[in-house]
Amino acid sequence: MAKAAIVILAGNESHADYGRLANALEAAKEFAENDGDELKLIFDGAGTQWVPELEDEESDYHELYQTVRDDAAVCDYCSSAFDVADAVDDAGLATLAEYDGHPSIRSLVDDDYEVITF
């Protein structure tokens, strides 16, 4: 049994950022497909900007995102800082604010999650 916290920090401004997103979603999908594995997919920092795009059915990554959406959450502070709080609310995604308005990475480590950042 594996426990993985995949954190997407990359924004959506460059071709490389799209590569990071695709790799993060593929890695998340691999964990999600394995019974017994625990997955947390967290959009943090500039990565919160992906939410409106991924929720759009026309997005190239919408279908892949849908395979891991149930495991996704978004940094509360950063969703506001990057002007996507309304999109996050509309999507019904959970927001995380355990440490100064951000997800607690320490709690993930303390809970034996491998933290993988993209």
Side-chain angles (χ1 to χ4, degrees):
M1 177 179 109
K3 293 173 75 171
I6 296 178
V7 183
I8 299 175
L9 297 164
N12 58 1
E13 296 178 359
S14 73
H15 185 72
D17 293 333
Y18 278 82
R20 287 181 189 91
L21 171 75
N23 284 305
L25 294 177
E26 283 292 336
K29 181 181 171 192
E30 184 176 8
F31 285 104
E33 289 177 342
N34 283 285
D35 291 337
D37 284 359
E38 293 183 33
L39 168 66
K40 293 183 186 238
L41 175 62
I42 301 170
F43 292 89
D44 200 357
T48 61
Q49 296 173 94
W50 287 108
V51 172
E53 182 171 340
L54 294 173
E55 287 289 328
D56 181 354
E57 293 179 5
E58 299 298 317
S59 169
D60 290 340
Y61 299 100
H62 176 77
E63 188 173 318
L64 179 57
Y65 165 69
Q66 289 298 310
T67 66
V68 294
R69 187 183 187 285
D70 289 344
D71 298 302
V74 183
C75 175
D76 186 59
Y77 181 89
C78 293
S79 68
S80 292
F82 285 92
D83 296 321
V84 295
D86 289 342
V88 170
D89 288 341
D90 291 346
L93 293 172
T95 57
L96 303 174
E98 301 99 349
Y99 186 76
D100 290 341
H102 299 275
S104 173
I105 300 301
R106 187 203 177 281
S107 292
L108 293 168
V109 171
D110 191 48
D111 289 340
D112 295 324
Y113 279 85
E114 293 288 331
V115 178
I116 306 166
T117 60
F118 288 87

